[in-house]
Amino acid sequence: MRLSILILSVLGLTACERETYTSWSCNSAAELKVSMVLRKARMELKDLKLDYCGSLGNQSYFDQKCPSLIQESAYTFTPSSGVLMSKDQNYQCNAL
């Protein structure tokens, strides 16, 4: 009985350790097939690792160093439409 409780406890704890992430394929006018990954509170885009700065409504904001006003973040992502906007480019992303 104790052994089965111990095994179930260990299995329950290891299930909580699973890392969840979402992969996206993004396109812009200048670039095709840019991969983007949302992993916990980070966005990985090209060679950048961006921190989650917060959300307002359905828009999430990401930057390498979050500004005091999250609306001034380098990247704005709207998961429902897949639109990723930066100061230089706009991307259309599709979840994989």
Side-chain angles (χ1 to χ4, degrees):
M1 180 70 170
R2 287 183 184 177
L3 180 59
S4 62
I5 291 173
L6 178 64
I7 290 171
L8 289 175
S9 297
V10 169
L11 288 174
L13 288 174
T14 56
C16 293
E17 293 293 319
R18 290 184 185 165
E19 187 173 335
T20 58
Y21 65 92
T22 308
S23 297
W24 299 75
S25 177
C26 304
N27 299 308
S28 73
E31 298 177 275
L32 297 176
K33 299 225 179 194
V34 174
S35 65
M36 185 256 289
V37 176
L38 294 176
R39 185 185 324 264
K40 295 184 181 179
R42 295 203 94 172
M43 175 187 284
E44 299 169 12
L45 178 69
K46 301 181 201 177
D47 295 331
L48 299 172
K49 293 195 186 298
L50 305 164
D51 292 325
Y52 172 72
C53 300
S55 293
L56 291 173
N58 61 353
Q59 295 180 323
S60 298
Y61 297 88
F62 295 86
D63 208 324
Q64 288 180 315
K65 183 179 179 194
C66 293
S68 57
L69 293 173
I70 63 170
Q71 303 93 314
E72 296 176 358
S73 298
Y75 290 87
T76 303
F77 182 57
T78 308
S80 59
S81 64
V83 173
L84 174 64
M85 296 184 299
S86 73
K87 294 172 184 166
D88 300 327
Q89 281 185 317
N90 291 339
Y91 297 90
Q92 179 60 55
C93 303
N94 297 307
L96 300 177

